[in-house]
Amino acid sequence: MDPLSLIETKPGAYSLILHAGSTPVDEVIEELGHEPNGYFWEGVAQLVVRSDAPHLEGRFRYDPEGSMFCAYGADRAALEELATHLASVATDAVRARLIVTNAEAQGFEFDD
């Protein structure tokens, strides 16, 4: 799950957190013309849910900020699965580059 963390904010409520600017792929993201902030990572999350895990759609909500990506909800299993998908992008420069370039080729606009 690294570099993400899943915390229980109150009984039955969970938040998945990624501190923006702290991933091994930040440099690649910047090379591609993006800022690796929380809003950028929300775009990545939307893309991986859409392409790799559509069964996760609607099972949590997003609440990013400039310095942090956050997804939250009551479905811990869904957030854990999202963490696995995001970690595979946040730790693999080749995968990060591929996600961004494919998304842009399809007209997706990151909100960074």
Side-chain angles (χ1 to χ4, degrees):
M1 186 178 300
D2 190 47
L4 294 108
S5 58
L6 183 63
I7 58 171
E8 188 170 21
T9 56
K10 62 183 179 182
Y14 303 93
S15 291
L16 178 65
I17 306 292
L18 180 137
H19 294 283
S22 67
T23 73
V25 299
D26 289 345
E27 194 171 297
V28 169
I29 292 164
E30 290 171 346
E31 285 174 17
L32 294 168
H34 295 282
E35 184 177 340
N37 61 27
Y39 303 105
F40 171 84
W41 285 106
E42 178 185 4
V44 172
Q46 292 171 356
L47 289 166
V48 297
V49 166
R50 189 177 308 152
S51 65
D52 299 343
H55 60 280
L56 294 179
E57 187 68 45
R59 292 174 60 186
F60 45 78
R61 299 185 66 166
Y62 300 109
D63 187 21
E65 297 177 3
S67 63
M68 160 184 88
F69 165 80
C70 178
Y72 66 95
D75 191 337
R76 181 183 178 103
L79 290 167
E80 287 174 340
E81 186 174 345
L82 176 62
T84 299
H85 288 287
L86 287 178
S88 74
V89 177
T91 59
D92 183 341
V94 172
R95 182 157 162 74
R97 185 178 301 278
L98 186 63
I99 290 232
V100 172
T101 56
N102 285 346
E104 289 175 339
Q106 295 173 13
F108 184 86
E109 292 187 29
F110 290 92
D111 183 22
D112 59 336

